[in-house]
Amino acid sequence: MKQEDPAQLWSVCLSELRGMMPAQTFATWFERTKGHDVTPDKFTIEVPNPFSGERMLKRFHDKISQVVTTHLGRQVSIDYHIFEGNSQIVPVLTDLPSYGPPGPDREGQAAQAGQEQQAGDVEETDILYDNYTFENFVVGECNDFAHAASLAVVKSPGQQTFNPLVIYGGVGLGKTHLAQAIAHESKQLGTVDRVRYVTSEIFYSEFIESIQEKKTKEFAQTYRNVDLLIVDDIQFFCKGHKDRTQEEFFHTFDVLRQKGKQIVLTSDRIPKELSGLEERLVSRFEWGLLADMKPPDYETREAILHKKADKDGLSLSPDVIAYIADRVASNIRELEGAVLSLLAYASLSHCDITIEVAKRVLSNKIRRKQRAAGIEDIQKAVARHYDVSVEDLAAKTRKKHVVTARQIAMFLCRDMTRSSLKDIGAIFGKRDHTTVIHACQTIKKLLLNDEHLQDDLDKIRNSLL
Ligand code: ADP
Ligand code: MG
C-alpha cells in the first residue's frame, strides 16, 4: 500500500504534529523537514542542518516516534539525516530509544537532556498543544467526571476540595488532553496568571540540572511562584531512584497548596497504587479530588470518530464509523490513528472510504484489537481476576461470587465486543439473551455506587489492552 511512501507518511505525521504544538514552534522546526525513507524497522527523516537535527532529537523525538508508530501500525526506530548535495546523507545521531514508556535508560538521558537545556528556555518546558482544548474534548460516560472536575478547577482554582485534582487512567484516554485544556482555558479566562505545565520527566530533569548548576533556589522559586501547576504523568517519579526529586516535589506541593494555588496531576493509576511513591505524597494526593478516566464506551467512541473525521474534513459513512467504533475499543489514541490512516488513504487515492476500503486499510490495526478483546479473552481475564474458572462462568452454579464474576464478564463482553446478546448468552452456558440484559443492568446499577467494582473493571480492561 502507498502508505509506506516516506513522503506521504511524513506529511500525514506532520499534519498531526502541527496540532500538537504552537504554530510558531512547528514552523521553526518542522517546515523544512522531509520523509526520506521507510523500511520495515526504520523511518528516516531529512532535516535541513545539524542544529535542527539535534533539536528534533532532544525536543520532539518522543512525539515524532509516537505519531509515526501510530501511522505505520508498528514500532520503528527514527533516524534524522542531513542531506548534503544530491546524495550524501549524514546521520545526526541515532542512538535514542524509540517511543515507549520511560525506563531506567531514559531516566539517565532525561537528566542529560536537562543538563544541556539552556537556562531560561521557558518554551522548552511549557509546550501546550493547540488542539488539546475543552472544545475538542468529547465528553462521555467514561470521562464526564474528570471533565466536570477540570472545569471546576478552571472556574475556581485553589479550592481545597479540588486541590490537588488528580486525573488518572490508562494510556491514550485523554489525561494529557484534559490537563492541557485546563491550562489553555485558565489562561484564556484569566482565572490564573502564571501557569506551568510540565511532565514529571521535565520536572525531574530540570531539578537535576539545577543541582548540577547549583541553582536549586532558582528552581524552587520557579515552581513555587505559579498560580497553577500541572504535572503530567507523575508515575515517572516512582521509577528508579528519585528520592530527592520526590522530596523537592513534596515541598513545592506544600508551598503551593498553602498559598491556595491550584495543583493538577495526572497519573496512569490511582496514587495509592503507585509503588515507589513516598507515603506522604500519596496521602497529599488524596487530599483533593481523584477523577478517573475510563476506556470510552461505544457512544463516546462514535462521537469521537465523528468529531475527528469532521475536523480533518473526512467524510465517513455511519457504517464505517460503526465498524471502527466496534473494533477499536480500548483507547482514544487508536481511534485517532484509525481516522488518520483513512485520511491518508483518501488523500492518496482520491476515492471514498467505503466499508471495504476501511476494512482493508485498517486490517492490521483491527486484527490486533479483535484478538485483544474477544469474548474468550474477556472470560479468561475475569476468571483470573476473581479467581474462578472459565468453566464456572458458563456453568449453572449460583454461588454468589461466581454469579457476580459471570455478570461482569457478560457486561464487559457487551461493552467491549459487538457480539449480540444472543451470542453472549450462548457462550455463557447457553443462557437466554434476557439473562445477559439482566446482568448488564445489574452491573450498571452497581457501578453507580461501588468504586471498588469500577477499579476492578478498569484493571480487567487494562489487562486486555
Ligand atoms: P493520555 O494522556 O491519557 O495517554 P492523551 O491525552 O494523550 O491520552 O490522548 C490521546 C489522544 O486522544 C490525543 O490526541 C487526544 O487529543 C485524544 N483524546 C483523548 N480523549 C479525547 C476526547 N474525550 N475527545 C477527543 N479527543 C480525545
Ligand atoms: Mg499523557
Side-chain angles (χ1 to χ4, degrees):
M1 197 181 93
K2 282 190 201 160
Q3 204 184 346
E4 302 255 314
D5 174 340
Q8 287 295 344
L9 170 65
W10 188 230
S11 94
V12 179
C13 292
L14 283 178
S15 64
E16 191 172 349
L17 287 161
R18 183 177 291 120
M20 297 170 93
M21 61 193 76
Q24 187 58 43
T25 310
F26 180 85
T28 310
W29 301 111
F30 287 86
E31 259 179 8
R32 288 162 63 212
T33 58
K34 287 186 193 143
H36 181 78
D37 188 31
V38 57
T39 66
D41 53 10
K42 192 190 282 182
F43 180 48
T44 307
I45 298 168
E46 251 182 76
V47 292
N49 52 52
F51 179 59
S52 133
E54 263 182 59
R55 277 286 152 165
M56 299 285 270
L57 257 175
K58 273 198 206 138
R59 196 161 151 180
F60 304 112
H61 180 75
D62 272 5
K63 270 191 212 104
I64 293 170
S65 195
Q66 179 187 340
V67 169
V68 171
T69 301
T70 305
H71 289 294
L72 275 177
R74 64 174 187 274
Q75 196 134 23
V76 290
S77 62
I78 310 278
D79 273 8
Y80 306 85
H81 289 251
I82 301 148
F83 201 77
E84 288 187 346
N86 271 342
S87 55
Q88 200 189 355
I89 291 183
V90 184
V92 173
L93 209 156
T94 48
D95 61 353
L96 268 199
S98 55
Y99 174 75
D105 292 341
R106 298 192 53 207
E107 286 170 27
Q109 274 159 357
Q112 210 183 337
Q115 245 176 54
E116 290 160 8
Q117 259 172 21
Q118 286 158 17
D121 194 351
V122 175
E123 202 202 349
E124 196 86 41
T125 55
D126 247 341
I127 292 183
L128 294 180
Y129 307 155
D130 285 352
N131 58 350
Y132 282 13
T133 57
F134 281 115
E135 203 188 356
N136 290 336
F137 190 83
V138 175
V139 185
E141 251 179 70
C142 53
N143 58 26
D144 56 353
F145 183 62
H147 176 258
S150 302
L151 286 177
V153 158
V154 171
K155 209 168 144 220
S156 327
Q159 276 201 9
Q160 294 257 327
T161 33
F162 298 126
N163 207 9
L165 168 64
V166 182
I167 301 170
Y168 70 94
V171 176
L173 298 184
K175 301 182 296 296
T176 297
H177 188 135
L178 211 43
Q180 297 208 356
I182 294 175
H184 282 302
E185 192 81 355
S186 303
K187 279 185 179 180
Q188 203 160 3
L189 293 183
T191 49
V192 291
D193 277 338
R194 287 152 304 177
V195 179
R196 194 166 183 86
Y197 166 90
V198 286
T199 61
S200 57
E201 207 162 352
I202 288 176
F203 183 93
Y204 166 72
S205 63
E206 286 189 351
F207 179 56
I208 301 291
E209 180 193 8
S210 78
I211 296 174
Q212 284 158 348
E213 293 181 357
K214 303 199 170 35
K215 288 186 177 161
T216 48
K217 269 205 188 109
E218 285 87 338
F219 175 88
Q221 249 192 341
T222 309
Y223 277 89
R224 293 173 199 186
N225 274 328
V226 297
D227 302 305
L228 167 61
L229 175 64
I230 304 175
V231 184
D232 204 358
D233 287 327
I234 52 166
Q235 68 274 2
F236 179 74
F237 282 150
C238 311
K239 302 234 167 85
H241 299 285
K242 303 219 171 55
D243 302 355
R244 282 191 71 184
T245 310
Q246 288 198 24
E247 180 169 0
E248 179 62 29
F249 188 67
F250 169 79
H251 294 302
T252 307
F253 183 100
D254 270 3
V255 170
L256 287 177
R257 201 165 181 279
Q258 270 161 24
K259 290 204 274 188
K261 306 299 185 188
Q262 180 68 45
I263 299 151
V264 175
L265 308 169
T266 77
S267 165
D268 70 350
R269 71 206 79 158
I270 196 162
K272 65 170 184 276
E273 284 180 12
L274 285 172
S275 58
L277 191 64
E278 281 182 26
E279 200 42 52
R280 56 183 182 167
L281 280 176
V282 174
S283 72
R284 270 163 177 73
F285 294 169
E286 288 176 352
W287 282 350
L289 189 69
L290 298 171
D292 65 336
M293 311 268 289
K294 299 186 200 82
D297 46 275
Y298 185 77
E299 283 76 19
T300 312
R301 297 202 292 273
E302 262 189 342
I304 287 171
L305 287 166
H306 274 296
K307 181 142 194 151
K308 304 274 174 203
D310 281 356
K311 187 170 137 273
D312 291 329
L314 181 68
S315 136
L316 293 181
S317 62
D319 59 338
V320 171
I321 295 261
Y323 176 77
I324 307 170
D326 271 350
R327 289 162 180 81
V328 182
S330 54
N331 176 320
I332 296 171
R333 194 184 295 290
E334 308 247 351
L335 283 175
E336 279 187 340
V339 173
L340 285 160
S341 298
L342 293 179
L343 182 69
Y345 186 87
S347 67
L348 288 173
S349 65
H350 304 290
C351 68
D352 289 343
I353 303 292
T354 59
I355 186 84
E356 286 70 33
V357 170
K359 278 184 189 166
R360 208 169 61 241
V361 175
L362 302 175
S363 61
N364 60 357
K365 292 184 196 247
I366 300 272
R367 240 182 276 126
R368 268 201 338 255
K369 291 296 130 192
Q370 260 181 337
R371 252 205 326 269
I375 288 186
E376 281 181 13
D377 296 309
I378 295 174
Q379 286 185 322
K380 274 187 211 153
V382 172
R384 199 167 44 236
H385 188 86
Y386 289 103
D387 204 15
V388 299
S389 69
V390 172
E391 290 71 37
D392 279 343
L393 295 178
K396 295 280 170 238
T397 172
R398 304 278 322 150
K399 281 185 202 148
K400 189 156 184 312
H401 73 286
V402 177
V403 172
T404 307
R406 185 183 298 136
Q407 288 179 329
I408 286 169
M410 286 178 172
F411 171 83
L412 286 174
C413 287
R414 186 67 185 151
D415 193 48
M416 295 179 77
T417 74
R418 280 300 271 178
S419 308
S420 66
L421 294 165
K422 202 166 145 231
D423 289 347
I424 297 172
I427 291 180
F428 283 81
K430 297 207 183 101
R431 287 179 158 83
D432 192 72
H433 75 281
T434 54
T435 311
V436 184
I437 294 177
H438 174 70
C440 294
Q441 284 171 343
T442 308
I443 299 303
K444 268 193 190 152
K445 256 191 227 147
L446 285 176
L447 279 173
L448 293 178
N449 296 313
D450 187 342
E451 268 183 41
H452 292 300
L453 179 59
Q454 189 59 64
D455 277 354
D456 282 354
L457 287 193
D458 287 348
K459 276 189 200 134
I460 296 167
R461 279 200 172 98
N462 283 337
S463 76
L464 286 162
L465 292 183

